[in-house]
């Protein structure tokens, strides 16, 4: 179907050129005219406000392909927030991502379309908890997953994402001259990092409510039903899932894997929208379930992005003293060289079992 079909005006068709082709497997022709109008309105508002939209890989395809100026994983979006020249950043993602953008670009207005877009990992720990952990383990560096509040980042030494966690842990151990590192708050990410490094890991019992629900049985069932499929899993999944998968990596690394290796069939053990979004770039690949929805990511819609730009809501702020301390931890991460891509494809094969100490 052409962009202008189904009653879409010529102007809207111009503003949305190319989008229909990318979303047509996920948006019905009946829904398209209303979505196309919203996309066109958002793109006009972006120009008026000098705004860009940072869209995470878990956004629905209409948001991801329709209005995202920068799309990708948490690490990629944080880097874009740091270098963007726009006056306004709209975070099509969750609250901790918007705070990270504000920390890196304090002079910009950062908006999140729904303030309730949280994260179970970010909610699992506070700044006071980190201070207590430090008291219990003096002298050890604290590495914090970016899925945390600004208060938590302010108490830590360096942040990481699932794209660079092993690299950051090894960097911190070397820099501090120690053989153990505190990696919080995701217990499963910590266990999965421990399986790939000789650095000892002290972990916290936080969980991603989306990835903790996958089971080893899911992987076994998939292998049996689709023996040819490559199975890719996010490092927030339990360790037995990663041990059984063919590859583990951040959402960005999974997307790289699919577009670079072009598997005939693939299973993405992660949030549902990932597969829908990469499918447009991987026409020869068949995507097979299972997937779980992140209720926080799904709070962000075209409607509330339009309202965010129209009414300049909801502004995300971080107290200056907190932002200044948190910036050191986030900037240290951003300044590290990008993790080596080919090595990531062999991560799972290199696993060994290491006990993780839980706080
Ligand atoms: P990525 O860093 O892989 O994009 O993951 C962020 C996230 O929230 C995954 O649940
Ligand atoms: Fe948080 Fe998990 Fe949702 Fe990512 S998928 S935002 S880690 S709850």
């Amino acid at each position: 179907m052409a962009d202008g079909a189904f009653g879409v005006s010529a102007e809207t068709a111009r503003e949305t050129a190319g989008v229909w082709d990318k979303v047509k497997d996920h948006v019905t022709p009946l829904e398209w005219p209303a979505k196309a109008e919203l996309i066109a309105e958002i793109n006009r508002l972006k120009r008026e406000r000098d705004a860009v939209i940072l869209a995470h890989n878990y956004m629905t395809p209409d948001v991801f392909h329709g209005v995202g100026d920068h799309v990708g994983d948490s690490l990629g979006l944080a880097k874009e927030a740091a270098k963007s020249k726009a006056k306004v950043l709209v975070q099509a993602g969750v609250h901790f991502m918007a705070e990270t953008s504000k920390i890196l670009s304090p002079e910009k207005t950062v908006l999140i379309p729904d303030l309730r877009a949280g994260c179970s990992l970010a909610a699992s720990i506070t700044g006071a908890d980190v201070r207590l952990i430090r008291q219990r383990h003096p002298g050890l560096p604290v590495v914090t997953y970016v899925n945390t509040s600004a208060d938590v980042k302010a108490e830590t030494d360096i942040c990481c994402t699932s794209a660079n966690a092993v690299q950051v842990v090894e960097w911190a151990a070397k820099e501090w001259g120690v053989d153990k590192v505190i990696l919080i708050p995701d217990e499963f990410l910590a266990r999965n990092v421990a399986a790939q490094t000789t650095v000892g890991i002290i972990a916290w019992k936080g969980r991603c409510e989306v990835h903790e629900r996958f089971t080893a049985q899911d992987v076994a069932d998939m292998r049996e039903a689709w023996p040819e499929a490559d199975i890719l899993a996010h490092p927030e999944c339990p360790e037995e899932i990663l041990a059984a998968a063919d590859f583990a990596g951040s959402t960005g690394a999974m997307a790289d894997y699919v577009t670079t290796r072009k598997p005939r069939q693939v299973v993405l053990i992660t949030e549902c929208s990932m597969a829908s979004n990469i499918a447009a770039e991987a026409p020869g690949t068949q995507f097979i379930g299972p997937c779980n929805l992140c209720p926080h990511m799904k709070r962000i819609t075209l409607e509330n992005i339009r309202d965010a730009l129209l009414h300049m809501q909801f502004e995300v702020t971080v107290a200056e003293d907190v932002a200044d301390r948190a910036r050191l931890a986030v900037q240290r991460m951003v300044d590290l060289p990008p993790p080596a891509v080919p090595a990531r494809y062999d991560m799972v094969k290199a696993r060994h079992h290491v006990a993780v100490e839980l706080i």
Side-chain angles (χ1 to χ4, degrees):
M1 185 178 74
D3 285 301
F6 287 104
V8 172
S9 71
E11 197 195 340
T12 298
R14 253 196 322 279
E15 287 279 359
T16 58
V19 180
W20 169 254
D21 270 348
K22 292 185 175 163
V23 301
K24 62 178 186 292
D25 293 334
H26 312 285
V27 174
T28 65
L30 204 65
E31 295 171 298
W32 177 241
K35 289 209 183 272
E37 289 301 338
L38 277 167
I39 292 169
E41 190 179 354
I42 290 167
N43 286 336
R44 281 192 295 270
L45 284 165
K46 282 195 295 196
R47 290 195 290 274
E48 273 170 47
R49 303 287 195 199
D50 188 13
V52 293
I53 297 182
L54 306 174
H56 187 260
N57 287 325
Y58 293 164
M59 290 295 103
T60 50
D62 52 351
V63 170
F64 186 89
H65 292 297
V67 298
D69 296 292
H70 303 290
V71 295
D73 65 8
S74 325
L75 181 61
L77 296 183
K79 289 185 170 176
E80 289 300 338
K83 66 179 192 217
S84 171
K85 299 263 182 289
K87 279 202 190 108
V88 178
L89 303 176
V90 180
Q91 200 81 41
V94 291
H95 195 266
F96 76 79
M97 295 178 177
E99 277 191 335
T100 306
S101 296
K102 185 68 187 175
I103 289 164
L104 286 169
S105 291
E107 72 295 352
K108 293 188 175 55
T109 301
V110 176
L111 304 176
I112 188 149
D114 188 327
L115 278 168
R116 298 168 300 172
C119 168
S120 64
L121 280 170
S124 75
I125 193 162
T126 65
D129 292 327
V130 186
R131 287 195 292 275
L132 285 172
I133 293 168
R134 271 199 196 280
Q135 275 175 23
R136 211 188 277 181
H137 298 281
L140 292 188
V142 177
V143 177
T144 298
Y145 198 27
V146 281
N147 297 40
T148 46
S149 66
D151 282 343
V152 166
K153 290 184 175 81
E155 300 295 337
T156 70
D157 296 306
I158 181 165
C159 287
C160 72
T161 74
S162 55
N164 60 11
V166 176
Q167 182 194 16
V168 170
V169 159
E170 290 180 348
W171 177 86
K174 196 161 164 217
E175 200 70 11
W176 265 251
V178 290
D179 57 7
K180 239 185 211 181
V181 163
I182 297 160
L183 173 57
I184 48 179
D186 186 352
E187 179 194 343
F188 292 141
L189 178 76
R191 289 187 185 280
N192 289 319
V193 168
Q196 297 164 66
T197 179
T198 50
V199 177
I201 303 285
I202 299 176
W204 183 255
K205 226 173 161 32
R207 303 275 172 90
C208 161
E209 66 186 271
V210 177
H211 292 94
E212 71 169 343
R213 300 210 313 269
F214 293 110
T215 65
Q217 193 58 47
D218 292 331
V219 181
D221 292 346
M222 285 289 151
R223 282 256 186 252
E224 201 183 334
W226 306 94
E228 306 280 297
D230 288 8
I231 300 185
L232 280 48
H234 195 277
E236 290 169 8
C237 292
E239 41 184 341
E240 62 273 17
I241 295 196
L242 269 69
D246 298 307
F247 172 68
S250 72
T251 59
M254 286 193 266
D256 277 356
Y257 182 106
V258 173
T259 50
T260 312
R261 293 215 163 176
K262 303 186 190 342
R264 208 165 58 78
Q265 295 174 329
V266 75
V267 177
L268 299 183
I269 305 198
T270 191
E271 214 272 347
C272 292
S273 293
M274 255 307 282
S276 317
N277 291 332
I278 334 174
E281 320 294 335
T285 298
Q286 181 190 3
F287 291 82
I288 300 157
C291 67
N292 290 332
L293 282 171
C294 172
H296 309 290
M297 292 279 185
K298 298 288 101 102
R299 286 198 183 277
I300 309 301
T301 63
L302 287 175
E303 284 81 357
N304 60 25
I305 291 174
R306 186 266 320 270
D307 291 346
L309 283 163
L310 203 54
H311 306 298
M312 294 299 282
Q313 66 190 23
F314 297 94
E315 190 169 353
V316 174
T317 54
V318 179
E320 214 177 298
D321 58 319
V322 174
D324 287 347
R325 286 186 293 135
R327 192 169 308 113
L328 290 174
V330 182
Q331 196 64 51
R332 265 184 181 148
M333 169 188 83
V334 168
D335 290 343
L336 286 181
V341 178
R344 291 183 302 187
Y345 294 145
D346 297 325
M347 269 169 45
V348 175
K349 312 257 173 326
R351 295 174 70 83
H352 53 279
H353 185 76
V354 181
V356 162
E357 212 177 302
L358 275 176
I359 297 160

